[in-house]
C-alpha cells in the first residue's frame, strides 16, 4: 500500500489570492448542494482530497529504484527512471493521480460498460459498443499480436495505476466519484493492460474515415437524384489544392512506392496481399434510390452513431488536423521546424496529457528519452519528439470502413447463393440502480450487425427467429460493418517503436505497425532530414468503391486484401523543402496509371492545406527564412477561403433595405480574417450559413437536417419548387453537430463549381410567407444577406457596432460526463467558459462550427506544438486545458487563456532545462 511522507499540496504560494477566490466559490457550491437535499454536505476537504501529491516521497511497491517526478509551473510532469518498467509504472501512477476519472470513464466506454457508472441512460450506447466489441478485439491484440516488450510496458503501466488506486475510496480519487456516490455505489476496479489497448479503438472510431459519408449519400437518395448527389461530392481539386506527396512514384515492377532521394534501406514495410482499387461500382447500382427498408435502417444507424460519445470529436468532412515540417534550408535555425495541431472535440480535461519520459541513462534496459502528448490510460508518447527525431500526426482519412447490406432468411443471411448462420454471442450489461440486460450480438462474414442496435428497425418486416435476447427483426436488409479496427493488430507496438526511433528508416519501420487508425505521419530529425509516411491497414476491394453500402450477399464485393506497406506513399527530403499535411489528398490519383490503389474518395478538400502551403511560400520566396514564431503565427491564421470567393460577388448585390445595406458595408475592405472581435466575420459567416441553407440544406432529406427544424417540403421524389399547399410538414432528425450542410471545405468546392452558373438549379429556393422564390444566384444571395442581418440582430442586437464573431463563436469546456448530463449545480462546478474565439471552419485556426447547427465551437485545435530540431529546449507547446482533471486544481484549465490567444509555452526537454523549470519534485521509491 502506498505510504505518504512530507505531503504537500503542490501549489505555489504566489497563487494564494486566486486560490482563496476558488475556495469561496467551492463553499457557495457546497452550500447549494446541502440546501437542495442531496443528503450530504461536501466540505472543502472533499473537493481537495483527490488533488495529487506533487512533493515529498511516496513508497510504491514494485519499483526497482527511485523515480523522480518533476513538475513545472503548469503541473506538467517529467519522469526520470533507471528502467523501462519503472518508467512506465511511474507514468501509470502519475496519470492516475491527475486523470483517473477520465481514464475510468474511457475504459467503461471502450468496453460498453457505461451503464455500470451512469445507469440505464447509457444502455443504448453500451449495446452499440458491445456489438462493435472493441474490448474483445483489444484482448485478442494483447493475447496474440503484441510483442513481449510491449506487454511488459502495459503491465508496468497497469501496476502503477493500481498502486495509485490501492486503499482509496472514490472521493479520494476524484470529486466526480463523490458526486456519483449520491445515486450509485460504484467502486473503481483495478486497471488492466487491455484497458490501455482498447483506447486505440476509440481513437480509431472517431478517425474512421468515410462511414458517415456512406450513410449520408444513401440517405440523400430519398430526395436527390444521382447527379445532384454527385454535385454535393465533387472531385478533389488537384490542380488548385496540392496533395501531400508530390515527388516519387509507384513502381509497377517492384510494386513499391519510391521517394526520390530516399535512403536505400528504408523499404521496411511488411507487405501484404495486393489488388487494385477495383471497379468503380457501388452497392446501389447507378446511384438508384435506396429501398424503403434500407432507408429506414440507415436512418436508424445514423441515430445510433449520434448516441456514441464523440471521444475525439464529430466525424465528418472538414474535421481533421494540421501538421507541416520545413527543412533547415528555409528556417532561421538551419535545422527543421515541425508543427502539429490535431483538431478534436473540446473536452475538459483535454484529451491530451503533456509529459516527459526520461531514462537517466539510455541503455538496453532503459531505452526512452521522449516527451510530448500522451493519452491518459495508455503508456508511451503519441505525438512529440525524442533526442533524435520529432513526429506529428493528422488523419489520413483512408476508407477503412464499409457498410454491407445483409439479406436475412430465417435464422441466417444470404451469401453467394447460400444461407449462412449468424455468428452469435450473448452479452450481459450491468446497470447501476437497475436490472442487468442481456443482448445477443449477431454477425455475418462481413462483421457485426450494427443495425440490430436501433429500435426503429422493428418497423422493417416481421420478427426474425433468433435468440429472444436479440432485438426483434424482420425479413429485410440489415447493416453489417467491416472495419479494419475490428481485426487484431499491432498499433500499440508502433507507439513504443516511434518513441525510440533514431532515423527515417526506424521511423518507417515503426509506421508499418501503425495499422489503425490510419494517420499521416510527418517527420524531422536533428541531422536535418524531413519526411512523410502514409501508414495503415487499408483494404482493397473487388467490386465497389466503398462510397455506398455494398450488397453483402454478393461475394464479388468482399475485400480482397490490403495495400502493401511498401506501396504506401511517402516522401523524404523533397526538393521544395517542406511537407504539409492537413487531411487533403495524399497523392494525385486523378491519373490511375500513376498510383493503382484507392485510398479514399472522401478527402478533406484542401482549403487548410493550401493556405498553409501559400503561407510557407510567401515566407520563403526570395530566400526568406521561417522562425518558430512564424510557425506559431501560421497555426493561428484565421483567413476564410470561402469569403475570398463570395465577398466580391456579395458586394455587387444592390440592397435597398438600409439596415441590410448597413450590414453589407461591413464586408467592404474586410481582409477575410476571422478575428474574435470582427463584426465583418460575424456577418459573413451568417450569410454563408444562409446561402448553404437556402441552396442546399432545405433540399436535403429530414434524416440529414437539424433535429426539430421543420420545413414545408415537396413529397419525396420531387425537389423542384411547387405551390405551398402541395407541400408536407417535415422535421429534421440529425443532431446539430453532425447535420448537413456542415459548411466544411467540401461545400466550398460545391459552391465554387456553380458560382458562375447563375441560373443553376441549386440557386432556386421556394417562396415562404415572407420571402419570394429565388430563381438565380443573385436573388438567393440577396435573400441570404437579408436573413443574416436579421439573424444577427436577434442574436447580437440591432447596433452593428456591437457585433463580433467571438460573441457568436464561443467555446464552453464541459466535463464529458457529469458536466453534460449532471444537475446544473454540478455542471457549474465542473465546466468552464465561455471563451470568445476567432478562427473558423476550414481555417488553419480550425475552431470548427457546423453551419447547419449554429455558430458554437464544436471542434478545436486540441493542442499546438512547434518542435525546433536545432535546439529541442526552444520548442513550444500548449494544451487546450491543463494537466489536471481535478476541478479547482490550479492546473485544471490554466493553459486555456493562453491557448485561446494563440500563445505557446516553453517546452523543456533536456535534464538541465527540466531542472530549471521544476516547481515541484516528487520521489517515488521502492
Amino acid at each position: 500500500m502506498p505510504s505518504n511522507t512530507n505531503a504537500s499540496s503542490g501549489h505555489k504560494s504566489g497563487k494564494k489570492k486566486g486560490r482563496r477566490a476558488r475556495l469561496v466559490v467551492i463553499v457557495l457550491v457546497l452550500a447549494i448542494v446541502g440546501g437542495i437535499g442531496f443528503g450530504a454536505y461536501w466540505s472543502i476537504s472533499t473537493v481537495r482530497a483527490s488533488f495529487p501529491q506533487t512533493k515529498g516521497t511516496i513508497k510504491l511497491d514494485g519499483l526497482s529504484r527511485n523515480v523522480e517526478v518533476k513538475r513545472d509551473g503548469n503541473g506538467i510532469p517529467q519522469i526520470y527512471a533507471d528502467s523501462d518498467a519503472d518508467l512506465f509504472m511511474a507514468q501509470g501512477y502519475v496519470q492516475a493521480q491527475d486523470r483517473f476519472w477520465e481514464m475510468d470513464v474511457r475504459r467503461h466506454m471502450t468496453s460498453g460498460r457505461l451503464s455500470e457508472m451512469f445507469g440505464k441512460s447509457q444502455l443504448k450506447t453500451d449495446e452499440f459498443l458491445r456489438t462493435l466489441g472493441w474490448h474483445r478485439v483489444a484482448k485478442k491484440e494483447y493475447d496474440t499480436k503484441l510483442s513481449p516488450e510491449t506487454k511488459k510496458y502495459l503491465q508496468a503501466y497497469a501496476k502503477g495505476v493500481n498502486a495509485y488506486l490501492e486503499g482509496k475510496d472514490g472521493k479520494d480519487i476524484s470529486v466526480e466519484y463523490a458526486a456519483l456516490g449520491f445515486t450509485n455505489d460504484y467502486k473503481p476496479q483495478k486497471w488492466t493492460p487491455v484497458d490501455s489497448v482498447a483506447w486505440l479503438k476509440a481513437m480509431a472510431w472517431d478517425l474512421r474515415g468515410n462511414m458517415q459519408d456512406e450513410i449520408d449519400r444513401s440517405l440523400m437518395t430519398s430526395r436527390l437524384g444521382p447527379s445532384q448527389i454527385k454535385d454535393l461530392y465533387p472531385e478533389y481539386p488537384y490542380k488548385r489544392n496540392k496533395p501531400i506527396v508530390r515527388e516519387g512514384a509507384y513502381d509497377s515492377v517492384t510494386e513499391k512506392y519510391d521517394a526520390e532521394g530516399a535512403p536505400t534501406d528504408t523499404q521496411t514495410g511488411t507487405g501484404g496481399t495486393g489488388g487494385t482499387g477495383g471497379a468503380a461500382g457501388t452497392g446501389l447500382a447507378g446511384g438508384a434510390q435506396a429501398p424503403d427498408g434500407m432507408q429506414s435502417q440507415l436512418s436508424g444507424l445514423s441515430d445510433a452513431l449520434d448516441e456514441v460519445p464523440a471521444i475525439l470529436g464529430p466525424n465528418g468532412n472538414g474535421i481533421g488536423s494540421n501538421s507541416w515540417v520545413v527543412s533547415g534550408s528555409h528556417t532561421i535555425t538551419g535545422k527543421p521546424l515541425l508543427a502539429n495541431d490535431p483538431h478534436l472535440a473540446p473536452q475538459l480535461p483535454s484529451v491530451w496529457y503533456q509529459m516527459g519520459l526520461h531514462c537517466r541513462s539510455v541503455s538496453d534496459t532503459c531505452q526512452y528519452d521522449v516527451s510530448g502528448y500522451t493519452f491518459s490510460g495508455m503508456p508511451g508518447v503519441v505525438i512529440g519528439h525524442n533526442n533524435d527525431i520529432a513526429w506529428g500526426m493528422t488523419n489520413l482519412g483512408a476508407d477503412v470502413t464499409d457498410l454491407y447490406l445483409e439479406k436475412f432468411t430465417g435464422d441466417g443471411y444470404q451469401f453467394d447463393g447460400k444461407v449462412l448462420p449468424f455468428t452469435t454471442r450473448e452479452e450481459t450489461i450491468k446497470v447501476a440502480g437497475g436490472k442487468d440486460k442481456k443482448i445477443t450480438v449477431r454477425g455475418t462474414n462481413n462483421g457485426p450487425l450494427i443495425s440490430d442496435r436501433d429500435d426503429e428497425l422493428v418497423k422493417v418486416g416481421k420478427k426474425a427467429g433468433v435468440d429472444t435476447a436479440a432485438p426483434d427483426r424482420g425479413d429485410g436488409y440489415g447493416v453489417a460493418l467491416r472495419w479494419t479496427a475490428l481485426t487484431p493488430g499491432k498499433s500499440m507496438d508502433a507507439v513504443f517503436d516511434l518513441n525510440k526511433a533514431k532515423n527515417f528508416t526506424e521511423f518507417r519501420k515503426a509506421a508499418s505497425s501503425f495499422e489503425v487508425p490510419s494517420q499521416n505521419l510527418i517527420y524531422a530529425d536533428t541531422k536535418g532530414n524531413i519526411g512523410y509516411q502514409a501508414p495503415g491497414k487499408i483494404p482493397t476491394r473487388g467490386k465497389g468503391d466503398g462510397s455506398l453500402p455494398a450488397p453483402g450477399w454478393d461475394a464479388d464485393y468482399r475485400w480482397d486484401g490490403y495495400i502493401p506497406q511498401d506501396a504506401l506513399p511517402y516522401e523524404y527530403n523533397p526538393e521544395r523543402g517542406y511537407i504539409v499535411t492537413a487531411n487533403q489528398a495524399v497523392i494525385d490519383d486523378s491519373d490511375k496509371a500513376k498510383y493503382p490503389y484507392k485510398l479514399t474518395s472522401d478527402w478533406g478538400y484542401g482549403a487548410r492545406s493550401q493556405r498553409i502551403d501559400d503561407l510557407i511560400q510567401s515566407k520563403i520566396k526570395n530566400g526568406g527564412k521561417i522562425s518558430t514564431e512564424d510557425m506559431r503565427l501560421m497555426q493561428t491564421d484565421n483567413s476564410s477561403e470561402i469569403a475570398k470567393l463570395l465577398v466580391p460577388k456579395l458586394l455587387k448585390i444592390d440592397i435597398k433595405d438600409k439596415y441590410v445595406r448597413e450590414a453589407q458595408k461591413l464586408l467592404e475592405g474586410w481582409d477575410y480574417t476571422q478575428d474574435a472581435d470582427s463584426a465583418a466575420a460575424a456577418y459573413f459567416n451568417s450569410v454563408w450559413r444562409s446561402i448553404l441553407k437556402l441552396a442546399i440544406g432545405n433540399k436535403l432529406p429530414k434524416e440529414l437536417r437539424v433535429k426539430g427544424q421543420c420545413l414545408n417540403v415537396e413529397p419525396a421524389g420531387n425537389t423542384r419548387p411547387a405551390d405551398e399547399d402541395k407541400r408536407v410538414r417535415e422535421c429534421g432528425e440529425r443532431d446539430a453537430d453532425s447535420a448537413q450542410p456542415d459548411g466544411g471545405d467540401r461545400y466550398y468546392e460545391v459552391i465554387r463549381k456553380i458560382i458562375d452558373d447563375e441560373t443553376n438549379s441549386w440557386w432556386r429556393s421556394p417562396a415562404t410567407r415572407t420571402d419570394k422564390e429565388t430563381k438565380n444566384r443573385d436573388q438567393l444571395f440577396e435573400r441570404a444577406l437579408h436573413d443574416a442581418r436579421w439573424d444577427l440582430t436577434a442574436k447580437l442586437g440591432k447596433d452593428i457596432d456591437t457585433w463580433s464573431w467571438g460573441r457568436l463563436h464561443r467555446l464552453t469546456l464541459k466535463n464529458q460526463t457529469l458536466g453534460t448530463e449532471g444537475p446544473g449545480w454540478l455542471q457549474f462546478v465542473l465546466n468552464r467558459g465561455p471563451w470568445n474565439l476567432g478562427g473558423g471552419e476550414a481555417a488553419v485556426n480550425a475552431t470548427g462550427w457546423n453551419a447547419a447547427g449554429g455558430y458554437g465551437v464544436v471542434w478545436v485545435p486540441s493542442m499546438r506544438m512547434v518542435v525546433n530540431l536545432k535546439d529541442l529546449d526552444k520548442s513550444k507547446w500548449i494544451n487546450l486545458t491543463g494537466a489536471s482533471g481535478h476541478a479547482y486544481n490550479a492546473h485544471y484549465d490554466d493553459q486555456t487563456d493562453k491557448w485561446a490567444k494563440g500563445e505557446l509555452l516553453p517546452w523543456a526537454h533536456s535534464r538541465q532545462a527540466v531542472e530549471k523549470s521544476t516547481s515541484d519534485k516528487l520521489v517515488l521509491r521502492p
Side-chain angles (χ1 to χ4, degrees), residues 650 660 683 686-692 694 774 778-790:
L650 292 170
V660 179
Y683 183 57
S686 185
V687 173
W688 170 234
R689 185 179 181 221
S690 295
I691 288 172
L692 289 172
L694 294 169
T774 69
D778 287 354
Q779 288 177 353
L780 187 140
F781 282 5
E782 181 178 359
R783 188 162 152 186
L785 288 161
H786 279 78
D787 289 351
R789 174 35 156 149
W790 304 122

Side-chain angles (χ1 to χ4, degrees), residues 106 134 474 478 488 543 569 650 655 693 775 778:
R106 282 181 180 177
W134 292 349
K543 288 185 178 179
L650 292 170
I655 299 295
K693 180 180 179 181
K775 298 181 179 180
D778 287 354

Side-chain angles (χ1 to χ4, degrees), residues 7 17 90 224 303 414 470 537 655 732 754 757 808 877:
K17 182 177 180 181
L224 303 178
D303 292 343
Q414 293 183 13
K537 196 171 186 178
I655 299 295
I754 64 172
D757 183 2
L808 285 176
W877 63 354

Side-chain angles (χ1 to χ4, degrees), residues 594-632:
K594 292 182 180 178
Y595 190 71
Y597 298 103
K598 186 177 183 62
L599 299 174
T600 188
S601 295
D602 292 307
W603 306 109
Y605 278 73
R608 281 182 288 111
S609 61
Q610 193 56 45
R611 175 62 178 170
I612 295 167
D613 197 289
D614 291 344
L615 289 170
I616 294 172
Q617 284 287 347
S618 68
K619 193 69 181 178
I620 66 177
K621 66 181 179 181
N622 301 322
K625 301 292 184 180
I626 293 175
S627 67
T628 300
E629 176 65 7
D630 291 327
M631 299 285 273
R632 184 194 71 81

